[in-house]
Amino acid sequence: MTESPWHKEIKNWGVATEIPLGNRRADCMLRCGKRAEIQARPLTPAEVAGREAHADLWILDCRAAHRTDRLLVWDDPDFGQLFRWDRAWQSFAVAKRPVFLNLEMDISTGHGSFLQVTGWAFNRHRALGSGHPHTATAMRSWMRYDIPLTAHPAVTR
């Protein structure tokens, strides 16, 4: 399968790509030594669990869901950033590693937004959760240079 421009872009934010680990590989290595799995499509629960054996975190392409309002993010004064993802990738209910949702990305400018999931629950076709927003610039700096991520002011819609 060929990689999309989005997948290639995010993968290249790491310091190394295609990290071999036995008979598997991680998409990229971050400066801090973490291995990222970058995913643009749903997987089966077995695939999620299997890939977690060699990856430390997930970056999921949720741009289409966000653009079509299937993934909504809003600021709640009591709980911070909340989200609702309709027709969510249910297989990620088994994920144990940290997850980052890419909400927006303009490959030509590098501008975009991500939501670091801090907690979520799946109910059939929907995921509800909370998270911390980050700009694409902050994500890139963390992945490439190990500059700590700090929550960015509201990424809402």
Side-chain angles (χ1 to χ4, degrees):
M1 183 184 311
T2 62
E3 293 179 338
S4 70
W6 173 83
H7 191 271
K8 288 178 187 176
E9 175 70 17
I10 302 299
K11 188 167 81 170
N12 285 325
W13 290 359
V15 295
T17 61
E18 302 298 325
I19 311 305
L21 299 159
N23 63 348
R24 294 185 174 250
R25 61 166 179 73
D27 284 320
C28 72
M29 178 80 71
L30 283 57
R31 170 72 58 199
C32 64
K34 293 184 184 222
R35 299 165 308 226
E37 186 68 26
I38 301 163
Q39 196 56 45
R41 64 176 177 81
L43 300 171
T44 67
E47 286 176 304
V48 171
R51 291 183 189 201
E52 285 201 336
H54 68 278
D56 300 306
L57 63 100
W58 294 95
I59 300 174
L60 306 182
D61 184 1
C62 296
R63 296 172 301 152
H66 188 251
R67 186 174 49 252
T68 59
D69 293 331
R70 287 189 305 108
L71 174 54
L72 298 174
V73 180
W74 65 94
D75 190 44
D76 182 278
D78 295 324
F79 299 104
Q81 294 286 303
L82 301 178
F83 70 90
R84 183 187 79 216
W85 183 6
D86 291 325
R87 297 192 312 267
W89 299 352
Q90 294 296 308
S91 57
F92 279 90
V94 303
K96 305 274 189 261
R97 306 288 191 195
V99 176
F100 294 83
L101 309 177
N102 184 196
L103 304 175
E104 299 171 306
M105 175 60 71
D106 182 334
I107 301 294
S108 65
T109 66
H111 294 171
S113 60
F114 289 77
L115 187 69
Q116 179 181 0
V117 175
T118 55
W120 59 4
F122 288 81
N123 183 0
R124 295 196 318 213
H125 70 282
R126 178 175 288 159
L128 300 170
S130 59
H132 296 298
H134 302 291
T135 64
T137 301
M139 286 289 292
R140 189 179 313 105
S141 295
W142 173 59
M143 292 172 70
R144 171 68 67 179
Y145 305 110
D146 200 23
I147 295 172
L149 282 173
T150 56
H152 186 269
V155 175
T156 60
R157 177 149 116 182

